[in-house]
Each structure stands twice: as C-alpha cells, then as structure tokens.
Amino acid sequence: SAVGRGPEVPFRSEAYGISAVARGKELRLTLSALDAAAAGPPAQDLVFRFGMSGSFRLCPAAELPRHAHLRFLTRESPPRALCFVDPRRFGSWRLGDAWQPERGPCVVSEYQAFRENVLKNLDDRAFDKPICEALLNQKYFNGIGNYLRAEILFRLKIPPFEKARTVLEALKEQEQRKKDPSLTLSKKVKLRQENPDLLELCHTVPMEVITAEKQLFDPEHSDNYAAFKNWLQCYLVPGMSSLRDRSGRTIWFQGEPGPMAPKAPALTPTQVTPRALKRRRRAAAKPPKSEEKEEEKEEEADGPRKGRARGRRKVAAAPALPEVPPSVRRSRRTSAHRDKG
C-alpha cells in the first residue's frame, strides 16, 4: 500500500505458492513459483514482526480491509487477497530468510533447545534482573510477551520481582528429581503434569492460546474477543495488582511483588508544588491505563510525536526558596500567566 513502511518485494510470478514457519515473535513467508520447469523467479523469503496489531487476513480482493499494507492475490474468480493488516503500523517485514540474530530458540516450536539455552546461561547478567523483566528478554524467552509473563507467574504464584536467577536455579534441582531412575515413565509424566515448572509453562501457556486462536484473537467479533478476556486469569483482571517494571512495562500480579520491586521516587521539597500535589492526587484516583495504551507509547517513543507540543514546555528545576504566603503565591502565578500571554 502507499502508506506501508516495509520494503518493496522484488518477486513477480503469475502463479506462486506461499508457505510459512513461525519462530517466537517472528514469521517467515516463502514465495515460490508453481511452475518449477519454467524459468521463473527464485524463491523469495520475507520475515515479519507483528508489533501490537499486525495480522494476516484472507478476504475478497474487492473488499480489502483498511490498513492492508501488503497483499497477495489469488487466481480465483472473483479473486481473494491474503493481506498483512496492521492498523498501527508497528509491525514490519524485511527481505531474506534470516531470523533476528539476538533471538533465542522459540518457546513453542523449539522447547528443548529453549530450555537448555536458559539453564546453561544462568550466569548471564540478564538473570540479575527480576523474573518479570527477564521473561521479556527475547534472547532467552523468544515468544513471551507482556500478557503471557503475567499469566505464567500468576499460575505458579511467583512474585514478579523475585530475582530471576533465584527462580531458575531452583529448576535444576527439580529437573534432577524428575530424572530419578527409580521413577517409572508414568510417574514422571504425572509429576510433570502436576508440578509444571516455569519453563514448561513458557511452552504450554502459549500453546493454549495457539490451539484456541480463532476464538481468542479476533477483535472484529466482540464475542470471540470476550473469550480471550475470559481466558485471562491475571492480566488486566480487576482486583489484581500492577506495577511498572524498570523498562516502563506494567506487570500484573497477585500478592506481594517481591524483593526487587521498584520503589516510587520521592520528590524533593522544591518539586512538591501545589500543582504537582494536585496531579498526584488526580493520578491516584484514576485506574491504571490499559496495557494497549502503554505499549503504543513505547513503540512510538523513538518517533516524532505530533500535536502534543502545546503547553508542554520544559522547565528547569528552580532553587529552593523560602516559604511564601499563599496570597503572594497567587499574585505571582497570575503575573506569570500574563507574561506568557
């Protein structure tokens, strides 16, 4: 489309097929000409990232959805179009078959490699962080996102701000017990089913979503999307607690947050103005924003923000001043507004 941000796809063929394979949060499409005998174009690979709102949709070519940024037409009559739809344009595609090099094995399709990659690298500084932050590190947890980490930790009753290494090193001991030669195969299977560990849930919880994807993830049909909300046990669920981690993402949880929970920054006396206090009271009275809005701001943080500049001047911190009577403060504030005018 004219507003798509991805590169042009240098592939032209009258008849071709599309195959796909997923790995973590990426999807690779391969375009291959159907007539192998003819001197057709070589196969072309595209690797997609979906951002917050990207998806593929098959629809009549005459009724393209809005924000269909890349389209593959069928040879039917009337033709249909397989569209990469991305309303917010946070998703992207790139040419070639290479996965992003910093991403580890997929939690769904490469479970054993994923598990080994985590347990053999527990000395990495990435595991000095709270477990909720480590779970978003795609070098080790490729495929785990914000709602999945909340659901996984909630089911295991793990405080989100417990140190990641503390949580994961305990899995080594559990793994040794599960490999006890005196246990029969049926007992080993029963033990895993009754006592799944964190790495196992990193595989099985996403699989729950994948197996029920058609019902859970279709915002176009409110009944289906309601099914996804009902599936959630912790994320955005009323009555749960929430905190922002050090990367600015909100983690939802129940109970104590854990020993590494961030502390709210204290304001110095010069920063505690009547206006600041009023803002803090107003913010405390409001419920937390939805995760959707937070991620939108994070995705746009590197780009220009339009239409937000008015009334947002940066003010340097003023030196501490002696206490001023309220009447004088009011007159000074009035004078300041007049000067701005």
Side-chain angles (χ1 to χ4, degrees), residues 7-85:
E8 289 289 334
V9 182
F11 181 86
R12 297 289 180 274
S13 177
E14 287 299 317
Y16 60 96
I18 302 178
S19 59
V21 59
R23 185 174 186 266
K25 290 191 174 185
E26 295 182 292
L27 180 78
R28 181 169 65 210
L29 296 190
T30 301
L31 316 181
S32 307
L34 294 183
D35 190 355
Q44 175 67 59
D45 292 299
L46 308 170
V47 176
F48 287 80
R49 293 178 63 189
F50 292 87
M52 280 183 63
S53 59
S55 65
F56 277 96
R57 195 175 306 171
L58 186 63
C59 57
E63 302 173 15
L64 291 177
R66 295 182 62 192
H67 312 290
H69 298 305
L70 192 62
R71 308 146 192 171
F72 305 93
L73 299 178
T74 70
R75 300 186 72 187
E76 301 168 298
S77 183
R80 289 186 293 171
L82 178 66
C83 305
F84 177 62
V85 182

Side-chain angles (χ1 to χ4, degrees), residues 25 50 82-83 118 139 144 211 245 266-267 277 288 335:
K25 290 191 174 185
F50 292 87
L82 178 66
C83 305
V118 172
K139 180 179 178 181
I144 300 299
T211 53
D245 62 22
L267 295 178
L277 288 172
S335 301

Side-chain angles (χ1 to χ4, degrees), residues 102-137:
E102 67 273 17
R103 291 182 179 268
C106 175
V107 297
V108 171
S109 60
E110 302 168 298
Y111 170 67
Q112 286 301 329
F114 148 70
R115 187 181 184 91
E116 292 169 8
N117 185 45
V118 172
L119 294 179
K120 76 180 181 183
N121 288 294
L122 291 181
D123 292 336
D124 194 312
R125 292 172 59 187
F127 300 107
D128 291 337
K129 296 182 178 182
I131 185 63
C132 66
E133 295 178 19
L135 282 171
L136 294 184
N137 187 334

Side-chain angles (χ1 to χ4, degrees), residues 111-182:
Y111 170 67
Q112 286 301 329
F114 148 70
R115 187 181 184 91
E116 292 169 8
N117 185 45
V118 172
L119 294 179
K120 76 180 181 183
N121 288 294
L122 291 181
D123 292 336
D124 194 312
R125 292 172 59 187
F127 300 107
D128 291 337
K129 296 182 178 182
I131 185 63
C132 66
E133 295 178 19
L135 282 171
L136 294 184
N137 187 334
Q138 301 299 295
K139 180 179 178 181
Y140 295 108
F141 297 90
N142 186 13
I144 300 299
N146 206 11
Y147 81 90
L148 285 172
R149 69 170 177 172
E151 296 299 313
I152 291 165
L153 294 175
F154 172 77
R155 294 189 187 189
L156 293 171
K157 296 180 171 54
I158 295 175
F161 291 95
E162 184 65 68
K163 191 173 184 178
R165 188 176 292 107
T166 302
V167 174
L168 294 167
E169 280 183 340
L171 302 190
K172 289 185 175 181
E173 299 176 9
Q174 294 179 25
E175 199 155 85
Q176 291 302 319
R177 288 199 297 270
K178 292 176 182 177
K179 291 179 179 179
D180 186 346
S182 64

